């Protein structure tokens, strides 16, 4: 059967900032799904160990006071998140994200911060299969105009996003966008195995990064650099 009709795991983080190397996790969610239907949701609220900036609170709604009062110690929660994620990958269940290099790289940075094994070390090899709804959408509908935030992409594919920037809601929406992509583009996406699609996304992201970097250097900043690595930086 097609992968998009099978079990998938949505993954999303809400954080203190936008740099995966230095930002901290505030909330996290893993959503086990079957054919885009949620079956189990795991949620975490963390005390990130640093203040939650007001501009981050404005996005995801978690205040510094709330995180410190109700959040689990980051060192414990980060281990739990990584264990749950790798348990599913090791079982061959594809993990779906929207802009995977941000979420996966940030989780890896948190593991390193607390002296814990990386995702790759836990898996004994590559972190795969990953399905990145943003990377796939950019590849199959390359010339579509407009923003490609999760909210906008959900509108394109008729996916309801009930609570944007709530980790569980975003994780489920990413899965449903991936399912819609698999159904709409059988030759390029839906007919591949998860492992084939993972490999193809490496090339798709590399091409997108090179094109964007070339445009930025030509039009805005001659020193611009776009990281071509996927799914982790």
């Amino acid at each position: 059967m097609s992968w998009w009709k099978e079990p998938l795991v949505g993954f999303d983080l809400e954080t203190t900032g936008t740099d995966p190397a230095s930002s901290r996790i505030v909330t996290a969610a893993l959503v086990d799904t079957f054919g885009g239907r949620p079956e189990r949701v795991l949620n975490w609220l963390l005390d990130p160990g640093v203040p939650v900036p007001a501009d981050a609170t404005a996005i995801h709604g978690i205040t510094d006071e709330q995180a410190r009062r109700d959040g689990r110690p980051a060192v414990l929660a980060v281990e739990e998140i990584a264990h749950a994620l790798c348990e599913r990958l090791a079982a061959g269940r594809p993990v779906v994200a929207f802009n995977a290099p941000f979420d996966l790289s940030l989780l890896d940075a948190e593991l390193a911060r607390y002296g814990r094994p990386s995702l790759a070390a836990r898996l004994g090899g590559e972190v795969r299969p990953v399905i990145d709804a943003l990377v796939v959408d950019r590849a199959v509908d390359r010339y579509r105009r407009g923003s490609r935030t999760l909210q906008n992409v959900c509108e394109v594919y008729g996916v309801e996003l009930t609570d944007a920037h709530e980790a569980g809601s975003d994780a489920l929406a990413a899965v449903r966008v991936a399912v819609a992509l698999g159904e709409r583009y059988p030759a390029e996406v839906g007919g591949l195995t998860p492992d084939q699609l993972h490999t193809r996304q490496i090339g798709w992201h590399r091409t997108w990064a090179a094109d964007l970097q070339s445009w930025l250097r030509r039009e805005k900043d001659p020193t611009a650099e776009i990281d071509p690595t996927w799914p982790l930086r």
Side-chain angles (χ1 to χ4, degrees):
M1 292 181 68
S2 301
W3 59 262
W4 49 275
K5 297 179 181 178
E6 296 292 315
L8 299 169
V9 183
F11 175 53
D12 186 69
L13 303 177
E14 298 298 325
T15 67
T16 60
T18 58
D19 180 357
S22 60
S23 298
R24 309 294 182 93
I25 300 171
V26 179
T27 64
L30 284 173
V31 182
D32 292 312
T33 71
F34 191 92
R37 300 186 305 275
E39 295 191 320
R40 183 188 184 196
V41 180
L42 299 177
N43 284 300
W44 291 266
L45 171 62
L46 284 67
D47 175 357
V50 300
V52 179
D55 56 352
T57 297
I59 294 171
H60 52 60
I62 305 299
T63 65
D64 183 61
E65 179 185 11
Q66 182 181 358
R68 291 179 182 276
R69 183 186 66 235
D70 301 329
R72 287 177 52 71
V75 64
L76 301 179
V78 165
E79 174 62 30
E80 291 173 4
I81 297 163
H83 177 79
L85 184 71
C86 289
E87 184 177 51
R88 286 154 175 78
L89 284 168
R93 187 172 293 189
V95 166
V96 180
F98 193 85
N99 191 19
F102 177 80
D103 298 276
L104 294 176
S105 300
L106 199 156
L107 177 56
D108 242 4
E110 288 272 50
L111 290 168
R113 184 172 291 118
Y114 297 112
R116 306 302 301 164
S118 68
L119 299 174
R122 293 163 188 264
L123 293 166
E126 292 183 67
V127 180
R128 64 188 301 155
V130 174
I131 299 171
D132 190 332
L134 176 58
V135 169
V136 176
D137 176 57
R138 282 173 177 158
V140 297
D141 198 357
R142 184 175 178 182
Y143 300 107
R144 188 178 76 242
R145 293 182 179 274
S147 171
R148 295 194 193 237
T149 64
L150 177 58
Q151 187 168 359
N152 288 336
V153 172
C154 282
E155 292 174 2
V156 170
Y157 293 100
V159 171
E160 182 180 8
L161 180 56
T162 56
D163 189 5
H165 299 294
E166 189 280 320
S169 180
D170 284 4
L172 179 58
V175 169
R176 288 176 167 167
V177 169
V179 168
L181 285 160
E183 186 173 15
R184 186 175 297 190
Y185 299 98
E188 304 98 320
V189 182
L192 305 179
T193 67
D195 197 61
Q196 288 171 333
L197 182 55
H198 181 105
T199 298
R200 192 162 292 186
Q201 287 170 97
I202 294 172
W204 285 342
H205 180 75
R206 186 184 300 116
T207 298
W208 169 83
D211 289 347
L212 178 57
Q213 179 174 288
S214 177
W215 181 83
L216 287 172
R217 289 186 174 184
R218 186 175 63 250
E219 300 291 337
K220 294 189 175 185
D221 179 1
T223 65
E225 292 189 7
I226 304 297
D227 194 328
T229 55
W230 180 94
L232 283 94
R233 296 174 184 168

